[in-house]
Amino acid sequence: MSNTLSNQMVEWNLIPWRKLERHVFKLQKRIFQASGRGDTKAVRRLQKTLMRSWSAKAMAVRKVTQDNQGKKTAGVDGVKSLTPKARLTLVVNLKLTNKVKATRRVWIPKPGTDEKRPLGIPTIQDRATQALVKLALEPEWEAKFEPNSYGFRPGRSAHDAIGAIFSIIKQKPKWVLDADISKCFDKINHKELLTKINTFPTLNRLIKAWLKSGVFDGGEWLQTDEGTPQGGVISPLLANIALHGMEEAINKVAQSLPGNKKANQKALSLIRYADDFVILHPDLDVIERCKTEISVWLEKMGLELKPSKTRIGHTLQKPHINSQEGFDFLGFNVRQYKVGKTQSGKSSQGKPLGFKTLIKPSIKAIKRHYDEICRIIKAYKSAPQEALIKRLNPVIRGWANYYSMVVSKEIFSDIDRLVLQRLQTWAKRRHSRKSGHWISDKYWKTKISTAS
């Protein structure tokens, strides 16, 4: 099918995308199955077939020129967008042997902090090639990745990670190592990463070229001896490959404990989302040993834990006088509360546990969201009401959807009240001589739709 399309004059908007997706998915499924059974020869053969296929090339080009959020961000070549005809030309010219260009560095603010993080923006040609390679490389590694890794993986989300944490602690309070890897994307050791990927020579050279391509920062070219550029299509996958093996590292700690090895391994859990992770266990000594083991393991990849964002806590008790119960992870606060037998959670035998586990939006996440709403209202102080509503709605809706699956009713109610107060102040400032009743009638009308 792909050869037939490539030999015809195809209009971009007439391409049968569903057929292409099915064709690529079948190849990806075969790669996944071959990787799962350890057939490396079949994996490499199928990957080469996929990356030569017109269907995969077309999907890769569509992803970077139409689907991705940063589709109109230019690399060092200054190209921001492509016409349908240029997209088809790019599909035809997409090869693994093409030369790699340097990335353009852009500094963007980190949410809730004064820090900035660097984004490396490759050219559209390189982004399309990376998307093509990702289509072939991802299914191989999806068959290998550890079960409790959730970040930047198909079919997995932050909510899955939070759900896994709830399942682990709902029956028993545990100590927790809440950790963050310092500058994970910027510090990954290239040699160790390429050794771990262990792919065929042509692809290995291409990935190495992307890693070593260098960056242009303010017109100055800088060499890249470590790290993967944030902003590249394939960078999240490379970061996940680099961090693969963390669960295996802490399992060594579990196996060294006295008693039943299977029970020890089951009691120790690591949940990872990209470079954020938590380790949970009922014993504080085991958590401290895991922290040491993980630090040693990360050194091999050129990484280290970030001291300011790494802490040991407890889900139910205060570890220290000045500390808090529970921990924050992915914008959620995970904590257990002591309660009476009528409100208590129950064990698998139906006995009261004396506590209940609640997951809520974290205080930092609430403050960040409210500050963003206030900033928008302030920025639109002279704009029409319609423009303000259009700008606020996606922010409020997105935040509410993210936290709709946890205990958020009270927090939603509080934010509703605070936002209403802000909007009332916004309206009063625009009509300082009008009464509150007049302002209310103008801006807060109830529309009743009548069924035809």
Side-chain angles (χ1 to χ4, degrees):
M1 184 207 72
S2 57
N3 289 334
T4 306
L5 280 173
S6 62
N7 292 332
Q8 293 175 349
M9 290 298 290
V10 184
E11 290 290 339
W12 183 261
N13 61 345
L14 297 178
I15 293 174
W17 293 109
R18 293 297 294 274
K19 286 184 179 179
L20 269 59
E21 286 165 4
R22 281 197 294 270
H23 176 68
V24 171
F25 178 74
K26 283 178 183 177
L27 282 171
Q28 287 182 315
K29 187 177 177 181
R30 290 173 66 190
I31 293 168
F32 178 87
Q33 291 169 338
S35 179
R37 66 176 180 265
D39 189 348
T40 307
K41 190 175 180 180
V43 169
R44 300 289 175 257
R45 176 173 51 80
L46 288 164
Q47 284 176 332
K48 290 173 184 177
T49 302
L50 187 145
M51 287 187 286
R52 280 196 297 263
S53 91
W54 195 91
S55 299
K57 289 179 180 181
M59 283 180 61
V61 171
R62 184 181 69 159
K63 186 174 182 64
V64 300
T65 59
Q66 288 184 287
D67 296 347
N68 282 359
Q69 195 173 358
K71 57 182 178 281
K72 291 186 178 178
T73 308
V76 293
D77 58 355
V79 179
K80 288 186 177 181
S81 60
L82 296 178
T83 62
K85 189 177 179 181
R87 289 174 199 153
L88 286 170
T89 304
L90 179 55
V91 171
V92 173
N93 295 330
L94 211 56
K95 295 176 183 176
L96 299 188
T97 52
N98 290 340
K99 288 187 177 180
V100 172
K101 291 186 178 179
T103 59
R104 182 173 71 91
R105 178 166 286 174
V106 178
W107 293 88
I108 61 168
K110 278 189 176 181
T113 65
D114 295 330
E115 295 180 42
K116 289 189 175 183
R117 63 176 180 180
L119 281 187
I121 312 297
T123 61
I124 286 181
Q125 169 98 32
D126 286 336
R127 292 206 296 271
T129 313
Q130 287 184 17
L132 178 64
V133 170
K134 188 182 177 184
L135 286 173
L137 205 59
E138 193 168 56
E140 176 195 353
W141 280 92
E142 279 298 313
K144 299 178 183 179
F145 281 146
E146 293 156 328
N148 287 317
S149 158
Y150 294 94
F152 304 121
R153 290 183 62 186
R156 294 180 172 228
S157 68
H159 297 96
D160 295 320
I162 294 298
I165 290 171
F166 181 80
S167 299
I168 290 163
I169 66 172
K170 66 180 179 181
Q171 296 287 325
K172 191 172 186 179
K174 293 194 176 184
W175 288 92
V176 57
L177 171 65
D178 176 16
D180 182 75
I181 299 168
S182 178
K183 296 182 179 178
C184 176
F185 281 87
D186 303 330
K187 296 288 184 181
I188 292 171
N189 185 298
H190 289 173
K191 187 178 178 182
E192 290 292 331
L193 175 59
L194 291 167
T195 302
K196 191 179 276 192
I197 294 171
N198 189 30
T199 188
F200 57 92
T202 305
L203 187 52
N204 187 74
R205 283 194 295 271
L206 182 62
I207 294 171
K208 186 177 180 180
W210 284 329
L211 295 173
K212 302 286 186 185
S213 64
V215 296
F216 274 99
D217 189 356
E220 183 183 357
W221 185 84
L222 302 171
Q223 195 171 336
T224 49
D225 296 321
E226 57 188 6
T228 63
Q230 293 185 60
V233 177
I234 204 170
S235 295
L237 175 61
L238 296 181
N240 268 337
I241 294 171
L243 296 175
H244 172 67
M246 289 177 72
E247 282 189 55
E248 189 181 335
I250 68 159
N251 282 339
K252 291 177 184 176
V253 175
Q255 289 167 6
S256 67
L257 297 173
N260 188 310
K261 287 187 177 181
K262 283 188 178 179
N264 289 336
Q265 197 165 324
K266 192 176 179 182
L268 183 61
S269 307
L270 181 144
I271 307 292
R272 182 173 68 82
Y273 189 93
D275 57 345
D276 292 340
F277 66 92
V278 291
I279 299 175
L280 300 143
H281 193 273
D283 192 342
L284 176 59
D285 291 338
V286 174
I287 290 292
E288 288 174 340
R289 285 177 63 183
C290 285
K291 183 180 178 182
T292 305
E293 184 69 31
I294 285 292
S295 297
V296 172
W297 186 89
L298 286 171
E299 278 180 22
K300 296 174 185 175
M301 292 304 302
L303 302 169
E304 61 181 2
L305 296 176
K306 192 172 186 176
S308 62
K309 289 191 177 180
T310 301
R311 61 178 285 269
I312 292 175
H314 195 271
T315 56
L316 182 62
Q317 308 165 10
K318 281 188 177 183
H320 311 289
I321 296 171
N322 297 325
S323 63
Q324 291 292 321
E325 303 93 335
F327 61 96
D328 291 347
F329 188 60
L330 304 178
F332 296 91
N333 177 257
V334 183
R335 183 179 165 187
Q336 291 166 329
Y337 298 79
K338 292 178 182 178
V339 291
K341 62 181 181 180
T342 55
Q343 291 187 325
S344 168
K346 292 182 179 180
S347 67
S348 53
Q349 289 80 32
K351 294 180 180 178
L353 296 168
F355 65 86
K356 63 179 177 181
T357 304
L358 297 181
I359 300 175
K360 304 178 181 181
S362 69
I363 292 171
K364 285 182 181 177
I366 295 165
K367 186 179 183 305
R368 191 161 57 239
H369 176 59
Y370 180 62
D371 288 347
E372 173 68 4
I373 288 172
C374 293
R375 187 191 65 77
I376 292 168
I377 293 171
K378 189 177 179 181
Y380 281 69
K381 62 185 178 183
S382 303
Q385 181 188 11
E386 188 181 355
L388 177 61
I389 291 170
K390 197 173 180 180
R391 181 68 183 87
L392 278 178
N393 273 352
V395 175
I396 295 170
R397 192 184 297 116
W399 196 84
N401 287 342
Y402 186 73
Y403 291 104
S404 63
M405 298 182 186
V406 294
V407 184
S408 306
K409 185 179 177 181
E410 248 180 69
I411 290 160
F412 284 179
S413 181
D414 288 343
I415 291 178
D416 275 350
R417 178 176 49 80
L418 291 169
V419 171
L420 177 60
Q421 288 173 0
R422 281 279 176 175
L423 290 171
Q424 285 173 336
T425 305
W426 173 87
K428 285 175 185 175
R429 188 182 289 116
R430 294 162 72 90
H431 307 282
S432 57
R433 296 182 181 180
K434 298 290 185 181
S435 67
H437 184 73
W438 185 92
I439 292 169
S440 182
D441 281 346
K442 179 174 174 60
Y443 290 105
W444 281 273
K445 292 178 182 176
T446 304
K447 287 188 177 181
I448 302 171
S449 59
T450 55
S452 56

